[in-house]
Amino acid sequence: MALTAEEKVDALAEAEGWLPDEVASAYVADICATLTDQEESGAGAVQWLTLDKTDAEHAAVLKAGVPLLCPEWSKTVTEVLGAGVRFYSDGTYRVTASPGSAADAIAPGRYRVVGALEDCYWERTSRGGEVLDNGFATSAQDITVTVKASDGQFTARGCGVWKPVE
């Protein structure tokens, strides 16, 4: 008899040693439902998943389980949790050529935030903290910022999720 999608997720999690104290399929199903709720509420699934700060073990379960349990969210999960692409939410990030998995680092490049932006503040500062460029939008739909290799930090507050512009 063939395994159900839930059984496949649980078997894979057990084989990999992921989430020993949780039922993997239940976790994935909960995240799938939350992504749908966030999208329907207008908050945005990408933003919620980015802000969720998923650890490596839970990310592995989601990347393996979402295609089986809620394939409509596969692209979103891959974008947010996939290798190579990183999104940024509120916070201060130090600028470095190779941020790797450092939670407080951002690579130089162009970043864009889109949506109903209200009271969005961003700034680029030097390594010494001098403000190089900044902006405050009381109402906007699209903001693009270029973080330069010579910058020290990039800070954003109330803007949502910044995505790399390719």
Side-chain angles (χ1 to χ4, degrees):
M1 184 170 178
L3 295 176
T4 66
E6 289 83 1
E7 290 169 334
K8 288 177 185 177
V9 172
D10 292 335
L12 180 59
E14 184 177 344
E16 295 293 333
W18 298 329
L19 311 180
D21 298 327
E22 297 180 57
V23 177
S25 60
Y27 169 71
V28 173
D30 182 52
I31 295 298
C32 292
T34 302
L35 290 170
T36 299
D37 291 346
Q38 291 297 315
E39 197 66 26
E40 289 174 356
S41 74
V46 170
Q47 180 165 334
W48 178 82
L49 192 55
T50 301
L51 297 174
D52 187 50
K53 305 290 187 207
T54 304
D55 64 32
E57 188 173 8
H58 283 82
V61 170
L62 289 176
K63 286 189 273 186
V66 165
L68 294 169
L69 298 181
C70 54
E72 68 274 18
W73 291 113
S74 291
K75 182 178 179 196
T76 300
V77 169
T78 300
E79 283 179 357
V80 175
L81 303 177
V85 177
R86 179 142 171 232
F87 298 168
Y88 297 88
S89 58
D90 285 356
T92 297
Y93 302 92
R94 59 187 171 77
V95 179
T96 179
S98 301
S101 62
D104 69 338
I106 190 170
R110 288 173 30 108
Y111 295 87
R112 181 177 181 202
V113 62
V114 177
L117 308 171
E118 295 181 6
D119 299 329
C120 166
Y121 176 76
W122 63 268
E123 73 180 24
R124 295 175 30 246
T125 56
S126 69
R127 295 187 193 288
E130 176 187 345
V131 176
L132 302 171
D133 193 12
N134 65 353
F136 179 75
T138 57
S139 177
Q141 296 176 13
D142 184 338
I143 299 172
T144 301
V145 174
T146 299
V147 175
K148 298 180 180 180
S150 57
D151 293 353
Q153 291 83 222
F154 172 73
T155 299
R157 300 272 184 262
C159 299
V161 178
W162 295 86
K163 300 175 186 179
V165 176
E166 299 191 22

